[in-house]
């Protein structure tokens, strides 16, 4: 029967509520349940409770009232509050003392927690509740423990002689035992005194005092250390310390010890407001023991900022600086790759209007190593101003425009300064239906240059003799593109499917102009592939525009299964030159020829749920030579059963021929042990590029990972156009150990190790990914 309302009025929001809702916060540090625990059988009444019901309700088979001052409940007692349930064989309540007591075996349930204890008592006036000999277990997360006594008040929950572990029953892999644990309801943090971490029942760490989160709040403290070893660094140990300075900004300070180099300090400061976000990073090594005396200190600094200070305005800054060219390749960094050969420096101000878009950028690069011999220009500034949407003219014609002004500077280049103005109005007549698309486009590309030579050069490069101080280039363009869309019902391995066919044809005309009077400031050859066949220009930037009088034919077919998953895609295209491209004075290193990469194909085959085949090729049909190709075969049963074989070839990369073969795989040895390995080889020079092997043990509550690697050491002092130069191999080893639920265990899984670690695995490319 349900007891009278005086209990409901006096008990809601008091100590029982705190006990029912204070403990689940411990689970926030635990790992998700991985079938390590047997499934709990929950009472049926728990699913019927309403979390918005703030009344305390008592149900029992029998109740005896004594002068309306006390009540004795028996024959099965259940107390419910919101979505929590407490059951006991019997319970008593004293109105005079405002005290409730139950014993004989207590069971408490919430959506997050189950507690079994010998007794329960609550003093309503003191807002205090106590459970003794309590065994607790989290329901939706891994974690269990014991407390000699649990006390809940309006300010905190206290556990006496308590323990916590994420190991299942019968597994003593690790446990945290503490004399006292306090969970503070106000600030969302827990405190523990006289704590001992035990592994396999053996004490390994004593902590007289520690704090930990019981909510999603952050707090200053040590993070998981990082340990490794390599030939060029020696023993590598990092001890990150996190500083929670405020709700919207924090910092991480990481001392790093390298036995072969010395002690480095790494810092990171992050901030976030309603309009601004960013981070500041500094790495500093005062004395590199591997360098000669007088080499000086080594550092890396990085600034990243974004400000959305109005609905249509955005400002961004991205700046990186290093003390010397070899910093990244020798010391590594959390913010850049060791193989980076240039550092980006950029500041921009953007306006996103309904009719006009504007981007003003200040951009430059720091070129590292022998790459510094290349002429890299800073754009100070570069201003793009263009239409945000086309202007609708009669007869369905659309008008759009783009303009750009750039000022380039490099005091070490033969042309030390240049101003470039580019204007490009375009008329477009589109006609789009579900069955076919047709678009006619014409425009005029006008570019004006003012170029200032250096006057202190004793000898001039041959190509500089033709460069004019003032010059301009005007190029009309005509492009006609048509595409059809067909589809039909088909069968895919005996299953219903849909096949599409998308033939495409394009005519492109751009007349030839002699561009030898123009120096190259931000222009480079683009990579060729199937989609590149339909580009208007084979160069990035505006300094070079290739002439075209060509017809491009292409088609793509796709097969979708009954669940709309793309199972197969094949694209094939070819350029038919109606006139031989002139190609002179466009790219001295690799001039465009009529027979180069005019045939391209790409395919993706997902022939079974676990198998993927990806392939791409560019072929010279006249010389019958492959210009570029890549192929990868992937098997992916799950995150623990992966295999990838890949091959790539390119006839021309900075004047060199490249051919590489790689393999990567992971497989479980049993339920706890996992083996991961990768190997990449340079077939053209018959040498290993990189090899990695990793062994990981993972149980329900702890994990350890050992990774060994051997790879070619990046040396920016070697010539960039000679990949046959002498090379040096660097070997290293790394160890990581995690007690799950006790510290940061994020990312400790095979999938994360493959995608972000040294193994460099990427999922097969599919549109459905």
């Amino acid at each position: 029967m349900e007891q009278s309302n005086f209990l409901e009025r006096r008990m809601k929001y008091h100590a029982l509520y705190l006990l029912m809702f204070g403990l689940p916060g411990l689970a926030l540090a635990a790992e998700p349940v991985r079938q390590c625990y047997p499934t709990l059988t929950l009472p049926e009444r728990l699913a019927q409770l309403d979390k918005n019901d703030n009344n305390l309700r008592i149900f029992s088979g029998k109740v005896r009232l004594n002068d309306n001052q006390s009540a004795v409940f028996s024959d099965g007692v259940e107390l419910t509050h919101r979505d929590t349930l407490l059951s006991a064989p019997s319970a008593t309540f004293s109105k005079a003392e405002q005290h409730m007591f139950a014993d004989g075996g207590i069971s408490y349930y919430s959506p997050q927690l189950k507690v079994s204890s010998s007794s329960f008592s609550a003093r309503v006036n003191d807002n205090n509740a106590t459970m003794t000999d309590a065994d607790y277990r989290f329901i939706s997360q891994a974690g269990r423990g014991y407390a000699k006594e649990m006390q809940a008040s309006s300010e905190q929950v206290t556990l006496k002689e308590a323990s916590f572990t994420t190991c299942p029953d019968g597994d003593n892999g690790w446990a945290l035992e503490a004399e006292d644990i306090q969970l503070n309801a106000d600030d969302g943090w827990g405190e523990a005194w006289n704590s001992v971490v035990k592994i396999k029942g053996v004490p390994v760490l004593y902590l007289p005092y520690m704090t930990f989160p019981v909510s999603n709040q952050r707090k200053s403290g040590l993070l998981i250390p990082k340990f490794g070893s390599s030939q060029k660094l020696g023993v590598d140990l990092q001890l990150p310390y996190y500083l929670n300075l405020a709700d919207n900004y924090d910092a991480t300070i990481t001392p790093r010890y390298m036995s072969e180099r010395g002690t480095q300090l790494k810092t990171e400061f992050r901030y976030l407001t309603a309009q601004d976000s960013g981070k500041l990073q500094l790495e500093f090594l005062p004395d590199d023991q591997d360098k000669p005396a007088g080499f000086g200190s080594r550092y890396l600094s990085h600034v990243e900022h974004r400000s959305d200070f109005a609905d249509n305005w955005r400002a961004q800054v991205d700046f990186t600086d290093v003390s010397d060219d070899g910093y990244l390749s020798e010391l590594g960094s959390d913010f850049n790759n060791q193989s980076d050969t240039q550092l980006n420096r950029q500041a921009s101000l953007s306006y996103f209007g309904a009719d006009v878009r504007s981007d003003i950028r200040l951009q430059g690069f720091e070129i590292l190593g022998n790459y510094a011999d290349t002429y890299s220009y800073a754009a100070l500034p570069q201003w793009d101003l263009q239409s945000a949407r086309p202007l609708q003219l009669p007869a369905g014609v659309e008008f759009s425009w783009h303009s750009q002004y750039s000022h380039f500077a490099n005091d070490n280049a033969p042309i030390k300064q240049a101003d470039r103005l580019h204007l490009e109005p375009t008329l477009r007549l589109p006609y789009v239906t579900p069955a076919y698309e047709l678009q006619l486009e014409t425009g005029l590309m006008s570019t004006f240059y003012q170029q200032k030579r250096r006057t202190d050069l004793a000898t001039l490069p041959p190509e500089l003799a033709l460069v004019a101080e003032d010059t301009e280039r005007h190029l009309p363009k005509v492009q006609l593109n048509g595409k059809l869309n067909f589809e039909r019902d088909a069968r895919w391995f005996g299953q219903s499917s849909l096949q599409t066919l998308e033939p495409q044809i394009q005519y492109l005309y751009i007349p030839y102009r002699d561009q030898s009077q123009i120096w190259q400031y931000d222009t480079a050859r683009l990579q060729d592939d199937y989609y590149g066949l339909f580009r208007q220009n084979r160069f990035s930037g505006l300094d070079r525009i290739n002439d075209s009088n060509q017809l491009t034919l292409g088609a793509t077919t796709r097969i979708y299964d009954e669940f709309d998953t793309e199972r197969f895609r094949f694209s094939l295209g070819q350029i038919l030159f109606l006139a031989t491209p002139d190609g002179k004075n466009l790219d001295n290193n690799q001039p465009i020829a009529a027979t180069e990469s005019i045939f391209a194909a790409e395919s993706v085959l997902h022939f079974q749920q676990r198998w993927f085949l990806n392939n791409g090729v560019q072929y010279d049909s006249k010389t019958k030579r492959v210009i570029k190709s890549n192929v990868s075969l992937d098997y992916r049963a799950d995150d623990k059963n992966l295999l990838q074989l890949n091959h790539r070839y390119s006839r021309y990369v900075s004047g060199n021929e490249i051919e590489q073969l790689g393999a990567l795989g992971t497989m479980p040895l049993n339920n706890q042990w996992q083996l991961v390995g990768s190997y990449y080889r340079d077939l053209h020079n018959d040498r290993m590029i990189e090899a990695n092997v990793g062994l990981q043990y993972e149980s329900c509550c702890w994990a350890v990972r050992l990774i060994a690697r051997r790879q070619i050491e990046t040396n920016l002092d070697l010539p960039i156009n000679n990949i046959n130069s002498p090379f040096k191999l660097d070997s290293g080893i790394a160890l990581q150990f995690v007690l799950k639920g006790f510290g940061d265990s994020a990312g400790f899984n095979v999938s994360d190790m493959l995608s972000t670690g040294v193994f460099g695995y990427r999922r097969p490319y599919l549109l459905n990914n």
Side-chain angles (χ1 to χ4, degrees):
M1 65 176 289
E2 186 173 338
Q3 182 56 13
S4 58
N5 289 336
F6 80 96
L7 286 177
E8 296 182 7
R9 290 194 303 268
R10 294 180 180 272
M11 291 294 291
K12 65 180 180 179
Y13 295 125
H14 287 285
L16 181 60
Y17 168 79
L18 292 171
L19 186 60
M20 289 183 169
F21 288 92
L23 289 175
L26 274 172
L28 293 174
E31 283 284 300
V33 175
R34 298 174 57 251
Q35 304 300 323
C36 294
Y37 291 82
T39 303
L40 283 176
T41 302
L42 303 177
E44 294 183 359
R45 183 183 291 271
L46 189 65
Q48 303 170 359
L49 300 180
D50 182 5
K51 65 179 181 180
N52 297 315
D53 184 1
N54 293 319
N55 291 319
L56 171 67
R57 303 182 185 277
I58 303 177
F59 302 87
S60 66
K62 297 179 181 179
V63 61
R64 186 177 73 252
L65 300 177
N66 298 321
D67 298 329
N68 203 31
Q69 295 299 310
S70 64
V72 179
F73 304 92
S74 59
D75 194 16
V77 181
E78 291 184 344
L79 291 80
T80 64
H81 183 267
R82 292 190 175 180
D83 53 359
T84 63
L85 169 68
L86 188 145
S87 62
S90 61
T92 61
F93 177 78
S94 171
K95 182 178 180 181
E97 297 179 358
Q98 291 294 291
H99 178 264
M100 174 169 280
F101 178 79
D103 62 359
I106 308 299
S107 295
Y108 162 79
Y109 297 90
S110 77
Q112 301 86 18
L113 188 70
K114 175 192 175 182
V115 181
S116 299
S117 68
S118 59
S119 66
F120 164 81
S121 64
R123 302 188 66 85
V124 178
N125 289 338
D126 296 338
N127 295 332
N128 185 284
T130 302
M131 297 180 82
T132 59
D133 294 323
D135 289 292
Y136 63 90
R137 175 187 159 180
F138 301 119
I139 294 175
S140 59
Q141 295 173 287
R144 62 180 178 88
Y146 168 81
K148 182 71 174 178
E149 183 178 274
M150 291 184 177
Q151 295 179 353
S153 67
S154 58
E155 294 83 19
Q156 64 186 18
V157 175
T158 302
L159 286 74
K160 301 287 187 179
E161 299 181 32
S163 67
F164 171 76
T165 183
T166 56
C167 299
D169 294 333
D171 185 346
N172 64 340
W174 76 273
L176 172 68
E177 298 181 0
E179 183 178 304
D180 289 284
I181 296 178
Q182 290 186 359
L183 310 178
N184 300 310
D186 292 336
D187 58 14
W189 287 91
E191 299 175 287
W193 287 266
N194 296 323
S195 303
V196 177
V197 178
K198 293 184 177 181
I199 297 179
K200 295 295 183 179
V202 179
V204 295
L205 180 63
Y206 171 72
L207 299 170
Y209 174 78
M210 64 174 292
T211 62
F212 52 90
V214 295
S215 69
N216 58 0
Q217 298 186 50
R218 303 166 298 172
K219 189 170 184 178
S220 302
L222 285 171
L223 303 179
I224 295 297
K226 300 178 182 179
F227 174 80
S229 176
S230 66
Q231 290 176 326
K232 63 182 179 181
L233 300 179
V235 176
D236 188 357
L237 177 63
Q238 300 185 50
L239 296 173
Y241 188 87
Y242 175 77
L243 292 170
N244 183 36
L245 304 175
D247 292 340
N248 62 330
Y249 57 91
D250 59 19
T252 303
I253 300 176
T254 307
R256 180 189 187 188
Y257 170 74
M258 298 168 286
S259 61
E260 296 294 327
R261 300 281 183 169
T263 301
Q264 181 187 37
L265 183 64
K266 303 165 63 175
T267 62
E268 178 185 36
F269 175 77
R270 302 185 303 174
Y271 57 93
L272 176 66
T273 67
Q275 296 180 339
D276 306 301
S277 64
K279 56 185 175 182
L280 309 175
Q281 295 149 341
L282 176 64
E283 300 176 353
F284 182 74
L285 179 63
D287 182 26
D288 192 336
Q289 300 172 2
D290 191 58
K291 296 296 181 182
F295 183 82
S297 58
R298 310 186 75 180
Y299 66 85
L300 178 145
S301 59
H302 176 74
V303 178
E304 189 175 318
H305 175 81
R306 170 172 167 170
S307 178
D308 295 294
F309 53 88
D311 291 341
N312 299 331
W313 290 91
R314 175 180 298 166
Q316 291 181 289
V317 175
D318 190 342
F319 183 92
T320 303
D321 185 39
V322 292
S323 58
D324 55 274
D325 290 350
Y327 183 94
L328 293 178
S329 60
E330 295 177 8
L331 301 178
S333 174
D334 296 334
F335 320 118
N336 295 85
N337 296 321
Q338 286 185 295
S339 58
D340 285 349
T341 58
Q342 62 183 29
L343 302 177
N344 182 38
R345 297 169 172 180
Q346 177 174 300
S348 64
L349 177 64
S350 302
Y351 170 75
F352 307 93
D355 299 306
V356 176
R357 174 170 177 173
S358 172
D359 292 281
I360 301 177
R361 291 187 301 277
L362 304 176
Q363 185 174 29
F365 300 92
E366 181 176 356
I367 308 300
L368 306 178
N370 279 317
Y371 286 83
D373 293 336
T374 60
Y375 300 132
S376 175
Y377 284 86
L380 304 170
Q382 186 170 91
W383 183 16
D384 284 272
L385 191 64
Q386 60 190 18
S387 55
R389 57 183 179 183
L391 176 65
Q392 301 297 325
L393 301 179
V397 176
E398 298 177 350
F399 173 75
S400 60
W401 55 273
H402 170 245
S403 62
Q404 182 186 93
Y405 167 75
S406 303
H407 175 76
F408 298 105
N410 184 346
D411 291 337
N412 297 319
I415 302 296
K416 64 178 183 180
Q417 290 185 14
D419 293 282
R420 184 182 70 193
L421 176 63
H422 181 79
L423 304 174
E424 187 174 343
T426 301
L427 291 173
R428 186 179 297 109
L429 179 61
Y431 189 77
V432 180
T433 69
Y436 57 90
E437 304 172 20
L438 183 64
Q439 180 171 279
L440 173 63
E441 180 179 305
T442 183
L444 178 64
M445 298 175 286
S446 297
T447 315
F448 305 86
Y449 288 87
Q450 288 185 342
Q451 304 172 111
K452 186 176 182 180
R453 302 185 189 183
R454 286 176 57 184
T455 58
D456 58 339
L457 294 178
T459 58
L460 296 177
E463 61 271 20
L464 188 62
L466 300 176
V467 174
E469 182 175 344
D470 293 289
T471 187
E472 58 188 65
R473 178 193 60 200
H474 303 278
L475 283 169
K477 64 175 180 179
V478 176
Q479 182 184 33
L480 179 63
N481 189 290
K483 182 179 179 181
L484 299 176
N485 300 306
F486 299 101
E487 63 179 45
R488 69 182 183 93
D489 294 329
R491 305 289 292 178
W492 175 261
F493 288 96
Q495 303 295 323
S496 298
S497 61
L498 177 69
Q499 181 180 11
T500 67
L501 178 63
E502 304 159 23
Q504 185 174 0
I505 184 172
Q506 174 180 280
Y507 173 73
L508 177 65
Y509 175 76
I510 299 176
Y512 170 75
R513 293 290 187 272
D514 183 1
Q515 299 169 55
S516 59
Q517 297 180 341
I518 301 172
W519 194 248
Q520 296 188 43
Y521 304 101
D522 62 352
T523 295
R525 284 290 299 273
L526 296 172
Q527 296 293 323
D528 292 319
D529 54 17
Y530 169 76
Y531 300 99
L533 300 178
F534 295 90
R535 280 197 296 256
Q536 293 184 2
N537 192 17
R538 303 177 76 178
F539 293 90
S540 65
L542 299 170
D543 302 318
R544 293 293 183 268
I545 298 176
N546 59 274
D547 58 301
S548 301
N549 186 6
Q550 63 192 42
L551 196 65
T552 305
L553 304 177
T556 298
T557 182
R558 311 171 196 263
I559 295 180
Y560 298 90
D561 65 13
E562 55 185 337
F563 302 105
D564 292 330
T565 299
E566 186 184 68
R567 293 292 189 174
F568 175 72
R569 179 176 74 247
F570 178 72
S571 300
L572 178 66
Q574 185 172 13
I575 295 178
L576 303 176
F577 290 94
L578 305 181
T580 302
D582 192 292
K584 293 184 299 184
N585 302 317
L586 291 182
D587 191 340
N588 295 324
N589 296 321
Q590 189 186 9
I592 293 177
T595 59
E596 180 196 348
S597 300
I598 59 173
F599 177 91
E602 293 187 1
S603 64
V604 175
L605 178 60
H606 186 187
F607 48 91
Q608 287 188 354
Q609 191 65 31
R610 301 177 178 180
W611 287 93
F612 307 83
L613 179 65
N614 303 269
N615 179 53
V617 62
Q618 291 89 53
Y619 181 73
D620 188 325
S621 59
K622 184 174 182 179
T623 62
K624 301 189 178 354
R625 296 191 308 177
V626 174
I627 304 301
K628 190 180 301 180
S629 68
N630 64 84
V631 60
S632 67
L633 176 66
D634 291 83
Y635 171 80
R636 187 182 181 99
D638 51 47
D639 286 344
K640 291 191 174 184
N641 289 271
L642 306 172
L643 175 66
Q644 183 183 88
L645 303 175
N646 57 74
H647 176 273
R648 63 174 181 170
Y649 170 81
S650 181
R651 185 167 295 277
Y652 182 90
V653 177
S654 298
N656 295 282
E657 186 176 2
I658 298 292
E659 185 175 11
Q660 297 176 352
L661 181 67
L664 180 147
T666 174
M667 67 175 182
L669 303 178
N670 55 36
N671 291 334
Q672 284 80 37
W673 288 94
Q674 187 81 17
L675 180 65
V676 182
S678 66
Y679 182 85
Y680 295 92
R681 189 166 190 83
D682 182 353
L683 299 180
H684 186 72
N685 293 282
D686 192 24
R687 64 185 183 186
M688 184 196 73
I689 301 173
E690 179 183 281
N692 301 280
V693 62
L695 186 63
Q696 175 175 301
Y697 173 82
E698 183 175 12
S699 71
C700 293
C701 53
W702 68 280
V704 62
R705 175 188 298 158
L706 181 67
I707 297 176
R709 77 175 190 277
R710 188 168 176 80
Q711 60 188 9
I712 292 179
E713 186 176 319
T714 303
N715 189 348
L716 297 179
D717 294 329
L718 296 177
I720 63 175
N721 59 350
N722 185 4
I723 60 176
N724 299 313
S725 302
F727 65 95
K728 181 180 178 180
L729 292 173
D730 179 48
S731 300
I733 189 170
L735 178 68
Q736 185 178 4
F737 183 76
V738 167
L739 300 178
K740 295 186 176 180
F742 186 60
D744 182 14
S745 58
F748 204 89
N749 57 73
V750 173
S751 178
D752 179 81
M753 179 167 58
L754 291 174
S755 62
T756 62
V758 296
F759 294 89
Y761 173 79
R762 293 296 181 267
R763 286 194 60 185
Y765 173 72
L766 286 179
L767 294 181
N768 308 89
N769 284 351

